[in-house]
Amino acid sequence: MNSRLKYALLTLLAIAINAPALADRSMVLDPSSTSIEDMSLAEMLYPEVMSNVPKADPFPTPSLRNALLLAHEEHDEDAPPVDPKCVKFQDDPGADVGEILRAGCQPSLAQMSALMDNPLGNVAMLFTQFDFYVKKDPATGREDTQYNYMGIAQFPKKLGSNWNLINRVIWNVGSVPLDQDKIDDGFGSGPGGVPITPPPGDFPGAMPPINPPLPIDVFSGRTTGFGDMMYVGLFSPQQPIKTDLGGIFAWGLGFDVGLPTATEDILGSGKYTAGPSALAVYMGPKWKFGGLVTHFKDFASRDSSRADVNITNFQYFLFYSLSDTFSIGAAPNIICNWEQGSNNKCTVPIGIGFASTVNIGKVPVRFGAELHYSIVQPDDVLGTKWDFRFYVIPAAPSALFQWMN
């Protein structure tokens, strides 16, 4: 039998048996008439709770005392008495997780889930994201699949008493339905003698466009390897702004840097990039929405023959909470390549999905899946039609890591 249920049943049985004795005994005594030897069973078991009540034993008979001791012993095997201050923290979903840990308590799963909802919060997270893109070649109408693994290590660093630097280190491994050798062979042989240069890179997970189309069947092979790495740093106030709607608003401004670490040309840009970044998010009792915008502009090149990079990535997110740990919504990426023509600049997806936070051991882990469809796609270059995204995000409060504080 469950220990808590057994504890409750034994307590009720003992009180029922000893009801006459309890009814005859006065429950209010003169505090001066008691001594340390008269300490009650309730005070011994729960000193934090009973420290301010009169020194009267509400469980005076031997049978009641023994029953409660037995029930308490059974209860302690699986769940020792909880510190009242920890109970108070658990009743407050908005409690500061750092204060909870410093008090010697453990944050609840709901509190950790709320902390993970804040992309600028005091939490370290490791994003493991898999995207499966259906790519469409407008020239032939053919479709094929691109696979991409993206890893993001996100962690805050306190800067004084008022500001945080939110760090995001991004790496990815891609597998695109393009044959690098065929692309290399095709350069310089475009229609009408127009020279073809290697395509520019894009934000991780987005296929680099090829314009003009190569005079080869690009979907007849596959190239897999490591992509470009990126860093995003956001300066954000440590305390979010409370709103009249019962939620909070947080924001951050910063910069991004891209490194040409791709193992194949088609998997990266061949350029060193940098640009501004910004994030804003509203987190209410039910609705959570906002966006992260990053812009990449090349300032140096590892390969001077590669095309210029001038790309904006806007990841917007909209979620509705069905419970403290489960929500529905999506976070697609709108990507605009400003080097392309007017009909080929942007890809605009919409989507739906879910996110659920569970404990694996003592570690909170978020699982999510989303399906995106691009309502705006490039007319003349390779673009994304569908995207299925799956992610796993383990997290830990930054208060656990001294170097972050």
Side-chain angles (χ1 to χ4, degrees), residues 5-19 64 67-68 71:
L5 180 59
K6 186 186 296 184
Y7 177 74
L9 290 176
L10 286 172
T11 302
L12 290 174
L13 178 61
I15 292 174
I17 294 173
N18 295 274
L64 179 59
L68 286 171

Side-chain angles (χ1 to χ4, degrees), residues 134-143 178 196-197 199-200 202 206-214 218-219 335-347 374 376-385:
V134 176
K135 315 297 291 190
K136 183 177 180 179
D137 179 5
T140 64
R142 290 189 56 192
E143 296 180 355
L178 304 173
I196 301 175
T197 58
D202 211 332
M207 175 77 75
I210 298 175
N211 187 27
L214 293 177
V218 295
F219 280 163
I335 296 175
C336 293
N337 185 345
W338 305 109
E339 295 295 319
Q340 293 292 327
S342 59
N343 295 329
N344 299 316
K345 289 185 184 297
C346 295
T347 299
S374 297
V376 176
Q377 304 174 40
D379 290 342
D380 305 313
V381 299
L382 287 175
T384 299
K385 184 177 181 181

Side-chain angles (χ1 to χ4, degrees), residues 82-95 100 105 111:
V82 179
D83 191 320
K85 64 177 176 288
C86 296
V87 175
K88 183 179 179 181
F89 278 129
Q90 289 181 352
D91 290 338
D92 180 9
I100 295 174
C105 307
Q111 289 166 335

Side-chain angles (χ1 to χ4, degrees), residues 101 106 128 143 145 168 192 211 273 338 341 369 381:
L101 293 171
Q106 291 293 325
T128 301
E143 296 180 355
T145 306
R168 291 168 62 93
N211 187 27
T273 65
W338 305 109
V381 299

Side-chain angles (χ1 to χ4, degrees), residues 176-323:
V176 299
L178 304 173
D179 190 317
Q180 181 69 66
D181 293 333
K182 288 187 176 182
I183 293 174
D184 292 340
D185 293 341
F187 290 155
S189 59
V194 177
I196 301 175
T197 58
D202 211 332
F203 191 81
M207 175 77 75
I210 298 175
N211 187 27
L214 293 177
I216 55 177
D217 183 2
V218 295
F219 280 163
S220 64
R222 182 164 291 275
T223 304
T224 301
F226 196 79
D228 288 349
M229 291 189 66
M230 299 182 186
Y231 169 82
V232 178
L234 295 167
F235 299 93
S236 175
Q238 289 184 9
Q239 297 299 324
I241 302 170
K242 294 184 178 180
T243 71
D244 295 336
L245 300 175
I248 59 174
F249 174 79
W251 61 274
L253 296 175
F255 63 95
D256 54 73
V257 177
L259 303 176
T261 56
T263 54
E264 299 287 351
D265 288 346
I266 199 64
L267 299 175
S269 67
K271 300 282 188 175
Y272 294 90
T273 65
S277 296
L279 188 150
V281 56
Y282 169 78
M283 293 164 287
K286 290 294 184 180
W287 290 99
K288 300 171 181 65
F289 56 87
L292 167 65
V293 59
T294 50
H295 184 77
F296 304 92
K297 177 67 176 176
D298 64 283
F299 64 89
S301 178
R302 192 182 67 179
D303 184 352
S304 59
S305 67
R306 302 295 296 274
D308 293 337
V309 175
N310 186 16
I311 294 171
T312 300
N313 177 80
F314 175 59
Q315 183 177 27
Y316 70 93
F317 43 89
L318 174 64
F319 286 92
Y320 179 79
S321 298
L322 297 178
S323 72

